[in-house]
Amino acid sequence: MSLSLVQSRALLGLEAASVTVEVHLANGLPSFTLVGLAETEVKEARERVRSAIQNAGLEFPNNKRITVNLAPADLPKDSGRFDLPIALGILAASDQIQAARLAGHEFAGELSLSGELRPVRGALAMALALHTRGIATRLVLPTESAQEAALVPGGEVYGAKHLLDVVRRFMAEDAAQQQAEAPAADGWARVHAAAAAAMPLYADLADVKGHAGARRALEIAAAGGHSLLMVGEPGSGKSMLAQRFAGLLPPMSVDEALESAAVASLGGSFSTARWMTRPTSAPHHTSSAVALVGGGSPPRPGEISQAHHGVLFLDEFPEFARSALEALREPLETGTITIARAARRAEFPARFQLIAAMNPCPCGYLGSTLKGCRCTPDQILRYQGKLSGPLLDRIDLHIEVPAVSAQQLLGAPAGESTGSIRTRVVAAREFAVQRQGSPNQALQAGAIDKHAALDDAARKFMVNAAAKLGWSARSTHRALKVARTVADLAGAESVRAEHVAEAVQYRRALRH
Ligand SMILES: [Zn+2]
């Protein structure tokens, strides 16, 4: 046969679109033409495939006119993921393997010049896309990628270390028999999900002494799904607290873990050791908008998507580029980010909890008991004003994190452990979800009025506070959501005045 077809997948966002690799061999002037790949990729792919076939002791059809077409043409086809399907297509078209046996399989893998298989980006995303769309196929991948893909339940995944491992599976029976007698180690194996991973490990909040107020705010944020802004002088412990937040959240469901791992796998940063662990992304304030929200060609997920089902920690919050911060508004509302570049759009999930931290003023010591502030009122206003009202509006809790003196630290007992706080968080979340089907943060204005169930004293307290502090309807709703979470943590059916009083405190850290 001189024509062969091999199936593979391209990555576009979290979708894995089908790609068919067609290989045609013809008589004529010898050549090797690759259609459907970016120009820069073509030369390298041709070199890798040719060397790998020859160095594996197989025959490269040097005397033929070889045409390889990757269809459809308009999909992004980055990296060397098509090396393996291209090589198999050439071997099938030249009758070295049996083309008919390739059916029902999909392949991806980069080849080294000697024919070793190298891992590809997004293997888990590929397997997840097949799973969610109900496509039953056998995936053949480099071993490391196969281990990732096998985390998706119900798939049939094979891993191979070398081109020859794959070739042996698709040879005619008698030829395979001869090959099998060769002493070469067989790197082919069906891969199953690694045994249930150990409990995910998070840094423990017991390590943080003092900070009763901040710990309480973290607990409320975790229980209600609220975003949190911490304002405090340098060295007051904001980062330590933020780095321990993910551990307070309810354990991940398998679906959440799969989505989160699929995004990490797209970014090439997934490790099976992190399976079922909520991620914390902590980009530096000099990060570009693209690094933060995603972009590039082909579009790659940004830090906010790497934080999907986990935590996005932005330290030195006002120092981020304005464009980067404003780009956070869409995902904070919708939980997804759409990246449009030229004619191509990719959507990435980005349902994260935002934990932001900042100094109260440019010098950092406004309101400090340790050091005096050197800033003018004007400088302070300008600094805090870098955060737009609409952005701050999306952060439900604003708290001050004062420095803890050395003396206080020495006398303080160890803090309550992450595990023990998480138990309360889980109970409060369940309470809310049973009542309204979502965490409190996700409640729309009408729904919060219905579910807050304020008693008379609480209603009066809220009306007074809103009038005194000059709150908009939107600010009032945010405080109501937080009050609902405070009540949930107390196991209370209706929101009482004490819950409202606590919620009102969480809106006073900034001057505006
Ligand atoms: Zn200052």
Side-chain angles (χ1 to χ4, degrees):
M1 181 194 264
S2 59
L3 177 73
S4 69
L5 302 176
V6 184
Q7 295 304 321
S8 189
R9 299 256 155 201
L11 292 173
L12 184 59
L14 270 186
E15 284 174 43
S18 176
V19 169
T20 303
V21 179
E22 307 167 351
V23 178
H24 185 235
L25 297 189
N27 293 321
L29 217 49
S31 63
F32 184 3
T33 312
L34 240 168
V35 185
L37 268 188
E39 210 155 313
T40 46
E41 308 266 353
V42 168
K43 206 174 150 217
E44 292 165 19
R46 268 193 324 220
E47 244 4 87
R48 286 193 304 261
V49 168
R50 187 199 307 266
S51 297
I53 290 180
Q54 286 173 340
N55 288 326
L58 299 158
E59 194 190 318
F60 189 85
N62 275 315
N63 56 345
K64 298 280 186 184
R65 216 158 62 100
I66 308 169
T67 311
V68 178
N69 181 32
L70 274 61
D74 62 344
L75 285 169
K77 306 190 197 73
D78 62 311
S79 82
R81 58 192 306 110
F82 299 104
D83 289 359
L84 176 62
I86 292 170
L88 292 173
I90 291 174
L91 295 169
S94 57
D95 283 329
Q96 298 178 73
I97 58 175
Q98 293 194 312
R101 296 175 68 179
L102 297 172
H105 294 78
E106 295 197 5
F107 303 86
E110 182 172 328
L111 288 168
S112 77
L113 297 181
S114 65
E116 312 268 348
L117 280 167
R118 290 183 175 146
V120 291
R121 187 172 79 81
L124 201 152
M126 188 171 156
L128 184 58
L130 291 172
H131 174 68
T132 42
R133 282 153 60 188
I135 301 169
T137 181
R138 299 187 188 94
L139 271 181
V140 179
L141 298 166
T143 300
E144 283 174 57
S145 309
Q147 277 160 358
E148 228 183 84
L151 289 169
V152 178
E156 191 175 341
V157 182
Y158 296 88
K161 292 198 165 69
H162 195 279
L163 174 61
L164 280 178
D165 296 333
V166 184
V167 166
R168 278 190 208 107
R169 292 306 170 300
F170 299 98
M171 280 178 155
E173 297 293 341
D174 51 334
Q177 214 103 59
Q178 277 175 18
Q179 277 278 334
E181 283 158 22
D186 192 356
W188 174 276
R190 168 124 194 228
V191 180
H192 297 276
M199 272 294 283
L201 278 180
Y202 297 103
D204 203 296
L205 209 53
D207 307 338
V208 183
K209 287 183 164 190
H211 285 305
R215 299 169 70 95
R216 170 72 177 162
L218 289 177
E219 179 174 337
I220 294 169
H226 307 287
S227 293
L228 169 71
L229 172 64
M230 295 188 275
V231 184
E233 63 198 78
S236 63
K238 305 187 293 281
S239 304
M240 247 186 121
L241 288 160
Q243 295 290 357
R244 282 159 179 75
F245 181 70
L248 299 179
L249 296 169
M252 270 185 146
S253 69
V254 171
D255 283 346
E256 285 178 330
L258 282 172
E259 278 182 30
S260 154
V263 181
S265 123
L266 278 184
S269 65
F270 178 70
S271 121
T272 41
R274 304 281 304 158
W275 175 239
M276 297 296 274
T277 305
R278 290 194 188 271
T280 296
S281 279
H284 192 257
H285 63 77
T286 54
S287 299
S288 65
V290 166
L292 199 64
V293 301
S297 181
R300 299 263 189 138
E303 295 280 353
I304 60 168
S305 295
Q306 301 293 349
H308 184 50
H309 291 311
V311 179
L312 181 70
F313 173 43
L314 301 181
D315 200 3
E316 311 276 0
F317 196 40
E319 305 291 349
F320 279 82
R322 180 114 191 180
S323 59
L325 290 182
E326 292 305 309
L328 292 177
R329 280 163 53 182
E330 179 198 331
L332 277 170
E333 290 285 302
T334 63
T336 60
I337 181 83
T338 307
I339 293 159
R341 208 187 137 94
R344 195 162 282 150
R345 289 161 68 85
E347 195 171 87
F348 294 104
R351 192 166 298 287
F352 55 87
Q353 250 182 283
L354 174 64
I355 304 291
M358 64 185 281
N359 296 335
C361 65
C363 87
Y365 293 97
L366 178 67
S368 169
T369 52
L370 307 178
K371 221 168 153 180
C373 170
R374 293 180 277 107
C375 309
T376 65
D378 197 40
Q379 283 173 318
I380 296 169
L381 263 182
R382 219 172 323 132
Y383 179 77
Q384 297 194 353
K386 286 188 191 172
L387 302 172
S388 74
L391 177 61
L392 285 172
D393 263 354
R394 285 166 174 78
I395 305 178
D396 290 342
L397 298 158
H398 301 176
I399 60 161
E400 284 176 86
V401 180
V404 181
S405 73
Q407 211 168 10
Q408 284 171 304
L409 275 183
L410 282 175
E416 188 182 6
S417 75
T418 288
S420 128
I421 302 170
R422 186 172 51 224
T423 309
R424 292 197 295 273
V425 166
V426 168
R429 274 253 187 151
E430 275 170 11
F431 194 47
V433 169
Q434 269 173 19
R435 177 180 61 235
Q436 68 212 15
S438 74
N440 293 327
Q441 188 279 330
L443 285 179
Q444 299 300 318
I448 182 63
D449 288 336
K450 175 166 164 232
H451 294 295
L454 292 174
D455 69 18
D456 284 345
R459 185 171 308 278
K460 206 180 272 171
F461 196 112
M462 183 58 93
V463 169
N464 280 340
K468 211 160 86 196
L469 298 165
W471 281 353
S472 63
R474 191 189 276 242
S475 301
T476 312
H477 276 126
R478 256 181 348 244
L480 267 180
K481 288 188 207 177
V482 173
R484 183 61 264 182
T485 303
V486 173
D488 288 344
L489 278 165
E493 295 285 347
S494 61
V495 174
R496 297 192 296 264
E498 74 228 52
H499 307 139
V500 174
E502 183 173 353
V504 167
Q505 290 175 42
Y506 298 127
R507 304 230 39 98
R508 310 176 84 168
L510 291 177
R511 305 290 127 127
H512 63 259

